[in-house]
Amino acid sequence: MSAHETSIGPISGQKSSKAGGAQSKCVAHLKGQCSLPGDKSISHRALMLGALAVGRTHITGLLEGEDVHATAAALSAMGVGIRRESPGQWVVDGVGVGALQTPDNILDMGNSGTSTRLLMGLVASQPIRCFFTGDGSLRKRPMNRVIAPLSQMGAVIESRGDGRLPLLITGSDSPMPIDYTLPVASAQVKSAILLAALNTPGTSVVREPKATRDHSERMLKAMGAQITVEESGTGETGRIIRITGEAELSPVDISVPGDISSAAFPLVAAAIRPGSQIRLKGVGINPLRAGILTALEQMGAPVTIENRREEGGEPVADLVMTGPERLKAVTLDPAIAPLMIDEFPVLFVAAACAQGSSRFTGLEELRVKESDRIAAMAAALSACGVAVEEVPDGLIVHGTGSPPLGGATITTHLDHRIAMSALVLGCASDRPVSIDDAAPITTSFPDFMPLMNALGTEITLL
């Protein structure tokens, strides 16, 4: 092993300890260009499908946040060879479909719901046992939406009475194919079923009433899985995915694009400061992920898309934001929610600075993320002088049309997106905005503060 190589050992057990708070101050504008960390969703899937391929997968641009490290450590504990060769450059020596091993220890997934739900799918159709737990935030998140279909495929899953972590999953040695209609739009549930189907005889079918991010389907197809996707015919965005099991996946070189969910933070920060101009290089613009671009355009802050290309089967481009003189309120079509569900907290910040009242609905999923993101952002905005109205499936934000008051310390609830959204709000507030805990940011965007400060923000640790 070279001096740059690092093997992944068992996960340490807990998320990083509290690092203290942080504070953001108002700035005149943002200027400059940068590259973003790798897409978190694609990074998880690259490691997992690389683990199931026969041979060596090379990954470039892997996100090196705590969530992705949790996935790598869990796969390593199941017998997969994974190593980091240099920053962002990783190698996975796959063991093949059906060849994972029972880990010796409990798998602590930290704060990562994606890791947990997708790995449950991997385990469900293999004759192994895994015990999953996580931090306080993850243990509150619902797992029944994954438990239900995986149980139908033959997995035995024991959890707390309300279907939450910790849980023990025993995979089936004779899994059964499934024809399953998703009760909610969830790429995690869809992907868990597809991963379980890889080691299941016959053809499994997933029907989604609304299309969700399709990174799993794209990567599975690139690695040789027999998978088809078609429009359902029952709605504008519904789809039917069919996958044939007992697959053999071939390794491929995977280039992970910049994460559009991470891009949302500098994009909004520039949009709320007139005169800003930033360029974000090499960002994934998968149409099933790019709702934030549509939303910002409707608010009067269109993103210019340049240098379009395709990398690793994913559409990629450079994004340019020029801060407008004024943002306008918007009533966003609920149909866009699955295309940008993770970006809503920071979009609420844009709405807080806009002229007029914005209405966002169809966001029930935000209630069961790392925190109740509707309630958390309502409290954050209210504390900073922005009038809001909470509704069961969303938020009405009465924009100030001018810099919000600020001056509050925001409770992050162990939620990285609440933490970063609050710091973006501080970039345009009359008074500094603080957060109680900056540690959650490392789960998805370890370089958030230096990257944002390089563009002109003033974010400091307390």
Side-chain angles (χ1 to χ4, degrees), residues 134-146:
D135 69 9
S137 172
L138 185 58
R139 291 196 299 272
K140 295 177 182 177
R141 299 182 66 180
M143 296 294 158
N144 276 330
R145 59 181 58 181
V146 181

Side-chain angles (χ1 to χ4, degrees), residues 52-196:
L52 298 183
V54 178
R56 177 166 292 181
T57 294
H58 295 269
I59 306 172
T60 301
L62 189 87
L63 172 66
E64 296 184 346
E66 289 184 351
D67 282 6
V68 176
H69 275 283
T71 291
L75 291 169
S76 177
M78 294 184 211
V80 180
I82 300 178
R83 72 175 187 272
R84 177 182 186 268
E85 294 190 317
S86 61
Q89 310 292 316
W90 290 61
V91 169
V92 181
D93 289 314
V95 297
V97 171
L100 296 178
Q101 303 170 12
T102 295
D104 293 333
N105 299 309
I106 294 172
L107 301 177
D108 189 322
M109 308 315 301
N111 192 242
S112 183
T114 302
S115 300
T116 306
R117 293 185 177 121
L118 269 60
L119 287 170
M120 287 172 63
L122 278 187
V123 173
S125 59
Q126 304 196 46
I128 64 174
R129 305 178 80 206
C130 290
F131 194 100
F132 290 96
T133 190
D135 69 9
S137 172
L138 185 58
R139 291 196 299 272
K140 295 177 182 177
R141 299 182 66 180
M143 296 294 158
N144 276 330
R145 59 181 58 181
V146 181
I147 291 172
L150 297 183
S151 296
Q152 291 181 34
M153 298 180 82
V156 177
I157 303 172
E158 304 169 61
S159 69
R160 293 194 309 182
D162 55 358
R164 300 176 193 267
L165 298 183
L167 65 78
L168 174 65
I169 177 169
T170 303
S172 175
D173 58 2
S174 55
M176 298 168 287
I178 191 175
D179 189 324
Y180 192 77
T181 299
L182 298 178
V184 296
S186 172
Q188 292 180 2
V189 178
K190 172 180 66 176
S191 296
I193 297 170
L194 295 178
L195 290 171

Side-chain angles (χ1 to χ4, degrees), residues 187-233:
Q188 292 180 2
V189 178
K190 172 180 66 176
S191 296
I193 297 170
L194 295 178
L195 290 171
L198 285 172
N199 199 43
T200 300
T203 299
S204 292
V205 182
V206 181
R207 304 174 190 271
E208 50 180 4
K210 295 180 180 179
T212 62
R213 60 188 63 180
D214 63 350
H215 305 307
S216 295
E217 295 96 305
R218 288 172 180 260
M219 201 174 295
L220 282 164
K221 185 175 181 180
M223 297 178 108
Q226 296 182 48
I227 184 169
T228 62
V229 180
E230 65 182 76
E231 301 300 317
S232 67

Side-chain angles (χ1 to χ4, degrees), residues 23-24 27 30-31 427 447-461:
Q23 184 179 85
S24 179
V27 294
L30 279 71
K31 297 285 186 182
C427 296
D447 294 327
F448 170 76
M449 293 184 194
L451 183 148
M452 293 290 287
N453 287 341
L455 294 175
T457 64
E458 292 187 24
I459 303 175
T460 57
L461 290 172

Side-chain angles (χ1 to χ4, degrees), residues 276-310:
S276 295
Q277 187 166 51
I278 64 169
R279 176 185 293 271
L280 307 179
K281 298 184 290 184
V283 181
I285 55 168
N286 185 307
L288 295 177
R289 288 282 303 280
I292 184 66
L293 306 184
T294 301
L296 288 172
E297 181 175 14
Q298 292 181 14
M299 297 183 76
V303 177
T304 302
I305 301 176
E306 299 181 351
N307 193 21
R308 291 177 183 263
R309 65 245 191 222
E310 186 170 292

Side-chain angles (χ1 to χ4, degrees), residues 8 20 39 119-120 221 254 320 361 366 378 406 408 446:
I8 297 297
D39 187 286
L119 287 170
M120 287 172 63
K221 185 175 181 180
I254 299 173
V320 178
T361 55
L366 290 186

